[in-house]
Amino acid sequence: MTLPNDSILVTPGSGATVATHAVSSKEYQVVVLADAAGQLIDDPVGVYATAGLAMAKAASRNYLTLFNGDASLVVDVLGVYVSQEATAAVTGLVRGYRLFRTTSTAPTGGTLQTPAKLDTTTGALDADIAARVSSGSGVTATASGDALAAVGIGEEETGGAGGRHWLWNWKIEGVPIVLRQNEGVVVQQDATAGTGLVSSGVIFRVRA
Amino acid sequence: MTLPNDSILVTPGSGATLASHAVSSKEYEAWLKSDGAGSLDVEPYGIWVAKSGTRYKDTATGGRDNERMYLFNNDASLIVEVLSVVVAESFGSDFAGSDDWHTTLYRISALDWTGGTSITPVKADSSFGSLDADIASGWYDGNSSPPTFTLDGGALSRLVFRSAHRGTLHHLLRPLWGRDMPPIILRQGEGVGIEDAGAGLTNTSNLYEYAIIFRVR
């Protein structure tokens, strides 16, 4: 965490107009919150989302990667999720999905995604930032270090599976995962094959 | 908990009265939070809810998931912010199968809504005006030919629901998009569309309902 590193002297009577909102004859100053990177919180500009849908499962398969190869741009991973759906009867299995950082080697294979913009005024995604999803044989990527997060989802048809399970959510964890040059994240299944299909998505922000 | 350890003296003059809150002989200025567009946070004014009716899940046709509901902005100046999209599932009859069904949120770039029913969104606060006629919402009620819309890019989000009635967590209202992420902005000629389908495509026991909560500015 970082403390504010500067202050300004306010001189009444001159300068800019401060936004207020009047309620019951009193003026409330209206403030816009920013995070430690100076980015407006909940601002959709510069935010992208993409997902791999209904991907076939396999043991230790990499379903989704996001990798930043740019020397100056920074990627903030706001959210990563998985959802699982049964396609046939199955009894008594729970599949694990993990979120790792990758090594500095850019992932390959799978399908290169074109992430959707939350606000179309956002510019094109820099070509050095790549999201890939499994296309039958998984994305080729190497996990680095211990998992950032893990979730178990039941495959048992009589259980309560489905839904959307967050591996990371910046409003829950309190911070995004920051990807600088040659850093990435990967969503990987546990070492059991499992049954059915899995979808996985990522929501991320790019800043200078 | 710790109280602030300092205070500053403000000399009143002329002008407006700033809202404050006194605690332990110190004045705390009361603020209102807004988003980057200047809209006040937690403010029901200008918020609309477009909700579908209840409908059995249909079998997908044509190799594509079923188009279920949309919100589309065709106004040249107004901007629509999609704050959240929620889904609820219920059952019309027993179903012991194992083919789950999924629902997916997309951006859409065009509307060819030849079937379905238009929705009249409801205000979160009745004190504001009518919804602009260029902002439209609708859902597929199953009583006409399946509607279509043009997807703009890949999925924004996906949820999966368990088909079998023996499972749990069916009837909850679940967010397909929520306030834990920034809003989705819709300018002229832009919309969001919801599709769903089941892996087995044979289960019509499930009922679905969708709601899109949005703001116009």
Side-chain angles (χ1 to χ4, degrees):
Chain A
M1 303 295 284
T2 305
L3 290 173
N5 62 3
D6 202 358
S7 62
I8 54 173
L9 184 64
V10 176
T11 304
S14 63
T17 302
V18 175
T20 62
H21 184 73
V23 180
S24 301
S25 302
K26 292 178 180 173
E27 295 291 335
Y28 291 76
Q29 185 176 341
V30 181
V31 298
V32 178
L33 300 183
D35 60 20
Q39 302 292 307
L40 299 185
I41 292 175
D42 289 333
D43 187 1
V45 176
V47 180
Y48 301 82
T50 191
L53 303 179
M55 297 176 283
K57 293 184 187 177
S60 302
R61 174 163 287 176
N62 295 325
Y63 293 110
L64 179 146
T65 61
L66 178 66
F67 190 84
N68 179 16
D70 194 86
S72 58
L73 296 175
V74 176
V75 174
D76 293 322
V77 179
L78 307 181
V80 181
Y81 64 87
V82 291
S83 61
Q84 174 181 271
E85 56 191 300
T87 54
V90 61
T91 302
L93 295 176
V94 175
R95 286 285 53 72
Y97 301 94
R98 289 83 182 258
L99 178 67
F100 291 93
R101 278 186 175 275
T102 67
T103 64
S104 60
T105 302
T108 58
T111 300
L112 187 62
Q113 297 290 98
T114 302
K117 305 165 185 174
L118 296 198
D119 186 333
T120 53
T121 61
T122 298
L125 182 63
D126 188 276
D128 292 329
I129 300 168
R132 295 176 179 274
V133 300
S134 174
S135 58
S137 57
V139 182
T140 301
T142 304
S144 174
D146 293 333
L148 290 161
V151 64
I153 310 176
E155 293 178 325
E156 163 63 49
E157 68 181 70
T158 61
R164 178 180 58 183
H165 302 263
W166 289 106
L167 278 163
W168 196 270
N169 183 312
W170 72 320
K171 290 292 178 71
I172 298 171
E173 273 71 26
V175 291
I177 301 167
V178 178
L179 304 180
R180 302 179 190 278
Q181 186 177 26
N182 295 330
E183 296 180 349
V185 289
V186 55
V187 175
Q188 186 180 89
Q189 185 172 313
D190 64 16
T192 301
T195 64
L197 303 169
V198 64
S199 299
S200 182
V202 61
I203 298 139
F204 61 98
R205 179 178 68 189
V206 179
R207 59 182 165 89
Chain B
M1 300 292 287
T2 304
L3 288 173
N5 62 4
D6 202 358
S7 63
I8 55 174
L9 184 63
V10 176
T11 304
S14 60
T17 302
L18 284 180
S20 65
H21 184 70
V23 179
S24 300
S25 301
K26 292 177 182 173
E27 294 293 330
Y28 293 76
E29 184 178 350
W31 284 354
L32 291 176
K33 179 177 172 291
S34 77
D35 60 20
S39 297
L40 297 182
D41 205 11
V42 199
E43 165 63 88
Y45 191 90
I47 303 287
W48 298 86
V49 180
K51 184 186 171 302
S52 77
T54 303
R55 168 71 187 161
Y56 283 104
K57 180 171 74 64
D58 299 289
T59 300
T61 57
R64 178 176 165 181
D65 291 358
N66 298 298
E67 289 95 334
R68 292 301 193 189
M69 183 176 172
Y70 70 87
L71 175 68
F72 197 82
N73 178 18
N74 205 27
D75 193 86
S77 57
L78 295 174
I79 295 173
V80 173
E81 295 181 15
V82 177
L83 305 177
S84 59
V85 180
V86 293
V87 190
E89 179 198 42
S90 57
F91 281 81
S93 59
D94 291 353
F95 184 73
S98 55
D99 54 327
D100 289 347
W101 64 283
H102 58 249
T103 177
T104 314
L105 180 67
Y106 294 93
R107 273 188 170 279
I108 60 174
S109 58
L111 205 54
D112 178 21
W113 196 259
T114 55
T117 301
S118 63
I119 293 172
T120 302
V122 176
K123 303 171 185 176
D125 181 339
S126 61
S127 67
F128 56 89
S130 302
L131 184 64
D132 188 276
D134 290 330
I135 299 169
S137 181
W139 73 290
Y140 179 45
D141 60 7
N143 294 322
S144 56
S145 58
T148 58
F149 39 65
T150 303
L151 302 185
D152 180 16
L156 291 164
S157 180
R158 167 167 286 193
L159 277 179
V160 172
F161 282 82
R162 178 116 299 177
S163 287
H165 68 269
R166 294 171 296 177
T168 57
L169 299 175
H170 289 291
H171 309 287
L172 299 177
L173 206 60
R174 291 184 174 186
L176 187 54
W177 194 267
R179 296 307 305 272
D180 50 359
M181 292 295 155
I184 302 162
I185 305 298
L186 306 180
R187 301 176 191 277
Q188 186 176 29
E190 299 177 352
V192 289
I194 302 168
E195 293 189 346
D196 69 30
L201 306 181
T202 56
N203 171 28
T204 55
S205 300
N206 301 98
L207 295 149
Y208 70 83
E209 298 173 72
Y210 291 107
I212 300 174
I213 296 97
F214 63 100
R215 177 168 62 195
V216 180
R217 60 177 168 85

